[in-house]
Amino acid sequence: MKWDDESLAVFGLNKTETKILGVLKTAKSIQEVAKEARISRTGVAYSLSLLTERGLVERHKRGKRHVYVGIGMSGLARKLERVSQGVHIAEGGVRGARIRTSKKNEFIIHVGAKEIIPAYSRIASVNKNERVRGLQHHRSYKEIVEKASSKLLAEFNGAIIKNDIILDGILNESAYKAYAEELKADPKKFKSAVESLEGRMADYTVFPDNFFDYDAEIWIFKTTTLIINWQEEVAIEITNTNMTGFLKDMFEFVKMGGRKIDHNQMMREVLAEVEKGTTSGTDGE
């Protein structure tokens, strides 16, 4: 590594610090650094204290004395990655641990509902007039309401409608029955979330309840895929044309084994059933 490279100017290294880092490819004592770099011991000690404080040099104990070693290329890459993530978070941008494999390909790990929901909404907001594929068991949907709240889920569904996104969805066949039961049991908790599911442009297929019975789901956009485990509150955001294409083909293959339904009609029936039950309960009082 050449510490005097222009790309590392952001660290503001002076000539002495650059020279010291150049000899710290292996662990050395202050005396060894001074001898190899031809700098006074006092100057080396002072510069090492600053470099250590800035995280560019590590200090280790060897016997009764201390030795110093530069963090190297891999350590520098990790440091820059952490700084980059901090800047994104501060600006309200993409959050999560990021791995960029090329200019167009990136993998991001999101941890916690507070990171996953914004990622969910962000991807939906940049994909307008697109067909989005989603595979979700009701068990996973319920975890969203538990972990993220009905309000956040309603905001996501609002973005879907606003951006004219067509939802090509696959879900378990008893999901609609579960919507009605949950809404009757706790209207305050589920009402806004369930109501937001109606009115979207939707092309839905259902599968038997015993399949995909997990607290996980997958959303496939034009070039990005989001795989979420709501119970663990972990999501993997994949921006990779090859992997997204593979998952789209897998989705279509699974869809062939399901049964087509009219999602919006089903949701209208759910809401009408709940409304009828509420009215009947009031009349009987």
Side-chain angles (χ1 to χ4, degrees):
M1 176 192 297
K2 294 183 179 180
W3 284 95
D4 57 352
D5 192 291
E6 288 183 8
S7 63
L8 300 178
V10 66
F11 290 106
L13 300 172
N14 58 39
K15 290 183 179 180
T16 299
E17 292 169 337
T18 301
K19 205 169 184 180
I20 289 171
L21 284 167
V23 303
L24 285 179
K25 294 176 183 177
T26 58
K28 292 180 175 68
S29 66
I30 290 178
Q31 186 176 352
E32 290 170 331
V33 174
K35 183 178 179 180
E36 190 170 338
R38 296 182 180 181
I39 301 171
S40 69
R41 290 184 61 178
T42 303
V44 169
Y46 177 74
S47 294
L48 283 174
S49 67
L50 294 178
L51 291 169
T52 303
E53 187 177 330
R54 286 151 74 182
L56 299 176
V57 167
E58 295 177 348
R59 181 187 183 194
H60 303 282
K61 195 163 187 179
R62 181 190 288 170
K64 294 183 178 181
R65 63 177 181 171
H66 287 96
V67 293
Y68 300 81
V69 63
I71 61 174
M73 184 62 78
S74 60
L76 179 61
R78 288 194 297 272
K79 184 176 181 65
L80 290 173
E81 179 68 22
R82 287 195 295 271
V83 172
S84 174
Q85 288 174 28
V87 170
H88 279 291
I89 291 172
E91 293 180 345
V94 178
R95 302 184 181 191
R98 307 176 67 175
I99 301 172
R100 188 183 290 277
T101 56
S102 72
K103 220 171 186 181
K104 294 182 178 180
N105 298 327
E106 185 173 38
F107 300 81
I108 306 174
I109 307 298
H110 299 283
V111 180
K114 289 183 179 179
E115 274 194 23
I116 298 171
I117 285 291
Y120 215 24
S121 300
R122 170 176 51 79
I123 297 169
S125 68
V126 299
N127 286 271
K128 297 182 178 181
N129 303 306
E130 297 287 347
R131 179 176 288 269
V132 176
R133 296 158 176 83
L135 195 159
Q136 177 192 64
H137 193 283
H138 185 77
R139 179 173 156 185
S140 182
Y141 163 85
K142 192 174 180 181
E143 280 286 346
I144 302 176
V145 180
E146 296 289 344
K147 298 289 178 71
S149 84
S150 288
K151 182 182 177 182
L152 288 173
L153 187 58
E155 287 175 0
F156 170 71
N157 287 319
I160 292 287
I161 295 171
K162 182 181 178 181
N163 291 316
D164 295 321
I165 289 175
I166 300 173
L167 279 180
D168 193 348
I170 307 178
L171 71 168
N172 62 304
E173 55 190 359
S174 67
Y176 297 96
K177 180 181 178 183
Y179 292 141
E181 291 174 350
E182 289 159 359
L183 193 49
K184 288 176 183 177
D186 194 342
K188 186 177 180 181
K189 184 176 183 178
F190 291 97
K191 187 176 181 182
S192 60
V194 173
E195 287 180 339
S196 72
L197 296 173
E198 199 269 322
R200 304 177 299 181
M201 290 189 286
D203 180 10
Y204 267 58
T205 303
V206 293
F207 57 82
D209 293 320
N210 58 315
F211 285 91
F212 307 109
D213 189 10
Y214 301 98
D215 301 309
E217 58 192 65
I218 184 169
W219 292 87
I220 308 169
F221 295 81
K222 187 176 181 179
T223 59
T224 302
T225 299
L226 195 62
I227 302 173
I228 310 170
N229 182 314
W230 285 107
Q231 187 178 49
E232 301 291 336
E233 292 191 39
V234 174
I236 304 172
E237 181 180 339
I238 303 169
T239 302
N240 180 286
T241 304
N242 192 40
M243 291 185 73
T244 300
F246 168 78
L247 291 168
K248 282 179 181 177
D249 286 350
M250 184 183 73
F251 180 94
E252 294 301 327
F253 185 78
V254 172
K255 184 179 175 181
M256 286 191 294
R259 175 172 57 87
K260 296 283 289 183
I261 59 164
D262 184 335
H263 169 75
N264 286 318
Q265 179 59 37
M266 295 291 286
M267 291 309 306
R268 285 192 289 272
E269 290 176 8
V270 166
L271 295 170
E273 179 187 340
V274 173
E275 183 64 30
K276 182 180 178 182
T278 304
T279 304
S280 297
T282 305
D283 292 342
E285 290 180 353

